[in-house]
């Protein structure tokens, strides 16, 4: 079968591609209640809650800046003990200003089956008048200003 895909910004791809999706024969033993990404300070805060976690192995937090290029894992978190579910948080401190980031959770069962969460999108925009990164810098330094700059020394 062939599909047309729209990204989260509503841009449609007319490229045709065969898509193969592996399905598990039931639901995973983790119930995800919420998943969000929000810029806070100099990072993007990722938070999620679960209602239950029985026989569940781990969460893998994945990030993309370009959905055409796929996702990469940025963190692995083990479930809380007791199986009752709980709240989780991770700060993405490597996010760069002005860039849109797409996040998802890969929920992995003890037998290796997995499911993905919905995609959460965040963009970190600095509130300071001037932002300089990375620190320390090697061969490249980025300077962002909230107002027009006439010179830089």
């Amino acid at each position: 079968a062939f599909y047309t895909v729209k990204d989260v910004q509503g841009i449609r791809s007319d490229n045709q591609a065969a898509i193969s999706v592996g399905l598990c024969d039931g639901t995973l033993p983790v119930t995800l209640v919420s998943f969000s990404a929000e810029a806070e300070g100099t990072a993007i805060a990722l938070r999620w809650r679960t209602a239950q976690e029985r026989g569940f192995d781990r969460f893998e937090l994945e990030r993309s800046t370009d959905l055409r290029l796929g996702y990469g894992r940025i963190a692995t978190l083990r479930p809380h003990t007791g199986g009752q579910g709980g709240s989780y948080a991770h700060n993405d401190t490597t996010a760069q200003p002005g860039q849109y980031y797409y996040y998802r959770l890969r929920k992995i069962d003890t037998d290796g089956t997995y499911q993905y969460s919905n995609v959460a999108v965040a963009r970190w925009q600095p509130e300071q008048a001037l932002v300089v990164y990375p620190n320390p810098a090697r061969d490249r330094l980025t300077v962002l200003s909230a107002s027009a700059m006439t010179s830089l020394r």
Side-chain angles (χ1 to χ4, degrees):
F2 292 95
Y3 300 91
T4 299
V5 178
K6 285 185 181 178
D7 68 13
V8 295
Q9 296 172 337
I11 299 171
R12 194 173 113 197
S13 167
D14 291 325
N15 298 331
Q16 294 184 347
I19 299 175
S20 175
V21 178
L23 301 174
C24 60
D25 59 356
T27 59
L28 289 178
V30 61
T31 303
L32 188 64
V33 175
S34 64
F35 176 56
S36 65
E38 184 177 359
E40 287 185 1
T42 59
I44 295 179
L46 299 137
R47 294 184 184 89
W48 62 99
R49 285 188 322 115
T50 61
Q52 76 170 20
E53 300 167 359
R54 301 198 190 287
F56 177 64
D57 186 54
R58 67 190 181 275
F59 290 104
E60 290 181 353
L61 183 58
E62 298 179 344
R63 177 181 80 179
S64 177
T65 56
D66 186 338
L67 297 176
R68 296 170 294 181
L69 300 177
Y71 286 82
R73 183 176 57 213
I74 61 169
T76 300
L77 290 93
R78 297 288 176 193
H80 298 301
T81 58
Q84 298 302 314
S87 296
Y88 295 84
H90 178 81
N91 285 331
D92 184 358
T93 58
T94 63
Q96 300 298 313
Q99 175 71 50
Y100 281 98
Y101 290 94
Y102 305 89
Y103 297 93
R104 69 182 182 187
L105 288 173
R106 185 175 181 196
K107 306 173 290 181
I108 303 173
D109 194 2
T110 54
D111 67 2
T113 57
Y114 62 89
Q115 289 179 336
Y116 290 109
S117 70
N118 61 311
V119 174
V121 181
R123 181 179 185 209
W124 174 56
Q125 283 294 89
E127 295 177 11
Q128 302 105 327
L130 186 68
V131 174
V132 179
Y133 70 92
N135 185 10
R138 288 188 182 176
D139 58 347
R140 182 186 218 180
L141 181 67
T142 301
V143 178
L144 296 177
S145 174
S147 58
M149 292 179 17
T150 57
S151 67
L152 181 64
R153 297 176 202 223

